[in-house]
Amino acid sequence: RSFAQSLLRFLGFIFWGTAAAEVFGGVSVILMFENYRYLFQESYLSLPGWLTLATALTLLPTGALAVSISVKRSRNKQGTLMYLLLLLLCLEMSSAALACSYCARTASQLESAMGYLVHQHNWTCSQDPGNSAVDVIQRKLQCCGVHNYTDWLKPSFSWYHPACVPESCCKEKHSHCRGDLGHLEQLSEEGCLKKLEDQFCFAMLYIFWCCTLLSILELLAGVSNGILMRQQPFCELRIL
C-alpha cells in the first residue's frame, strides 16, 4: 500500500509535467496545418492536435487527484480518478491512432498539392513575383521544387523552358542571387516535398509516442489506485 501511494504521488506530478509536452505537440500540429492549409484539402487532419490539447487539459485535474489521494484517501476521489483515467486512455488512443494513420497517408497528397502549386506558378526569369504560396514555402523551408530544382525545368511543371528558377529557391546567405542556373551553389539543393513530409511526420510521431507513453503511465496509476481502493472495502453503494 505504501508503494502504491508513493507511485501514485509520483505519477500525479508526472501528469502535470506531461501536460506541457502534450500542449506543445497539439499546438505544433494545429499551427502547422494552419500555415500550410492550402496543401491539405481536409480540415479534419488537425484533429489529433485538438485531441491532444483536450488530453492536456484533462491531465491537470487528474494529476491533482492522484496527489491528493496519495495523501488522504477518499472513495469519491478514487472513483473520479478512475473515470478520468479511462477518459484519458480513450483520448490518447484516438490521438495516437489518428496520428499514425495520417502520417502514412498524406505523402501522396503532399506530392500532388506541391506539384499543382509548382505547375500553377506563373513566373519568368525577368520578372519573378515571389509572393505565391510555393514561394512562401520555398523561402520558409529553404527548399526548391518538389524533389529538387530540376522540377522547374520540366515541361510538365512549367509553360516555357526557363534558364533560371524562382528567386525563392535561393539560399538566404546569397542576397544577390536571382535564380540563375549558372550558379547552382546559390540554390537550395533539397526539394520541398521531403522537408514537408519530415516536418509533418515528426509532429505526428511526437503525438503518437507521447500518447503511447502516457497511456502506460495511466495504467500504472489505475493499478495503484485500485490497490488503495482494495484496502478500504465499500460500506455503501453511493459511489455507484
Side-chain angles (χ1 to χ4, degrees):
R1 185 179 61 182
S2 60
F3 176 76
Q5 284 179 314
S6 301
L7 180 60
L8 196 59
R9 184 185 301 111
F10 172 74
L11 290 174
F13 291 117
I14 290 296
F15 288 158
W16 285 339
T18 52
E22 293 276 302
V23 169
F24 173 77
V27 171
S28 298
V29 169
I30 294 171
L31 290 180
M32 183 182 62
F33 280 105
E34 182 64 24
N35 293 333
Y36 301 116
R37 59 184 179 274
Y38 38 79
L39 293 176
F40 301 97
Q41 301 294 330
E42 299 87 354
S43 59
Y44 61 81
L45 289 175
S46 61
L47 183 58
W50 292 107
L51 289 177
T52 304
L53 286 182
T55 300
L57 292 177
T58 311
L59 279 171
L60 298 179
T62 304
L65 276 176
V67 174
S68 176
I69 291 170
S70 65
V71 176
K72 183 179 180 180
R73 283 176 291 163
S74 166
R75 182 62 76 180
N76 291 332
K77 290 181 179 179
Q78 288 174 322
T80 304
L81 178 61
M82 284 298 194
Y83 283 119
L84 287 177
L85 290 174
L86 181 61
L87 174 62
L88 283 170
L89 195 62
C90 293
L91 286 172
E92 285 154 9
M93 288 297 99
S94 299
S95 300
L98 289 174
C100 188
S101 173
Y102 290 169
C103 182
R105 62 180 286 193
T106 53
S108 59
Q109 182 178 346
L110 281 174
E111 185 173 10
S112 175
M114 275 300 301
Y116 177 78
L117 290 178
V118 171
H119 180 71
Q120 294 296 318
H121 191 13
N122 187 16
W123 63 282
T124 63
C125 291
S126 59
Q127 184 180 7
D128 182 9
N131 56 1
S132 67
V134 69
D135 285 312
V136 173
I137 294 175
Q138 290 186 149
R139 287 195 182 96
K140 186 173 183 179
L141 299 180
Q142 284 295 285
C143 57
C144 186
V146 181
H147 301 285
N148 51 50
Y149 76 93
T150 59
D151 290 325
W152 291 105
L153 311 179
K154 298 176 181 178
S156 57
F157 286 105
S158 177
W159 57 276
Y160 76 110
H161 296 280
C164 66
V165 296
E167 292 182 17
S168 56
C169 285
C170 296
K171 296 178 180 178
E172 289 183 347
K173 61 182 180 181
H174 298 290
S175 57
H176 59 282
C177 172
R178 293 296 178 266
D180 186 3
L181 292 177
H183 300 280
L184 294 179
E185 71 280 357
Q186 299 178 356
L187 306 178
S188 300
E189 298 88 358
E190 196 171 0
C192 296
L193 178 62
K194 185 179 186 303
K195 288 197 171 184
L196 283 170
E197 288 179 349
D198 291 344
Q199 186 175 355
F200 177 78
C201 284
F202 174 80
M204 289 299 178
L205 290 177
Y206 177 88
I207 288 181
F208 173 81
W209 287 113
C210 277
C211 291
T212 302
L213 178 61
L214 196 53
S215 298
I216 296 174
L217 296 179
E218 285 161 8
L219 290 175
L220 290 176
V223 172
S224 301
N225 191 33
I227 292 174
L228 295 178
M229 293 177 74
R230 289 186 60 188
Q231 304 298 323
Q232 182 183 356
F234 284 103
C235 298
E236 54 187 17
L237 299 178
R238 185 173 55 186
I239 183 62
L240 299 178

